[in-house]
């Protein structure tokens, strides 16, 4: 479930950034953070929290380094999850 939903949440974060919607960015990052916690991920929840906090402060552009880190975190997590479910 996480492997299917995480990219959708990342897309919501990106769409919110593009439209300047800090509230939607915060919500999507919060959902991603919580989902990542549920599966036991360590780095990804922290990165999502950074994005959530930037968005909460209305500082969408400053979240860009954390957004790039999110991709790295997901890239590391994806193969581990795939191995775990097969």
């Amino acid at each position: 479930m996480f492997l299917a939903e995480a990219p959708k949440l990342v897309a919501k974060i990106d769409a919110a950034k593009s439209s300047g919607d800090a509230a939607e960015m915060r919500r999507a990052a919060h959902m991603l953070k919580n989902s990542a916690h549920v599966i036991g991920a360590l780095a990804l929840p922290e990165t999502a929290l950074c994005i959530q906090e930037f968005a909460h402060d209305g500082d969408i552009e400053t979240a860009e380094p954390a957004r790039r880190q999110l991709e790295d975190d997901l890239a590391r997590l994806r193969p581990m999850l795939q191995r775990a479910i097969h």
Side-chain angles (χ1 to χ4, degrees), residues 63-80:
E64 185 55 32
R67 170 58 189 85
R68 287 191 305 270
Q69 181 62 44
L70 196 63
E71 284 298 324
D72 293 343
D73 293 346
L74 282 169
R76 282 191 305 275
L77 183 60
R78 193 173 290 116
M80 289 185 271

Side-chain angles (χ1 to χ4, degrees), residues 10-84:
V10 172
K12 285 185 178 188
I13 290 169
D14 291 343
K17 180 180 182 269
S18 293
S19 68
D21 188 345
E24 180 58 27
M25 181 184 239
R26 183 189 56 76
R27 279 190 292 275
H30 179 77
M31 290 173 63
L32 183 59
K33 177 192 70 173
N34 288 347
S35 296
H37 270 298
V38 167
I39 64 163
L42 300 176
L44 195 139
E46 294 300 318
T47 304
L49 176 61
C50 287
I51 294 170
Q52 180 183 337
E53 289 173 346
F54 284 127
H56 179 266
D57 294 340
D59 201 359
I60 291 175
E61 293 304 318
T62 306
E64 185 55 32
R67 170 58 189 85
R68 287 191 305 270
Q69 181 62 44
L70 196 63
E71 284 298 324
D72 293 343
D73 293 346
L74 282 169
R76 282 191 305 275
L77 183 60
R78 193 173 290 116
M80 289 185 271
L81 290 175
Q82 289 170 334
R83 282 192 303 270

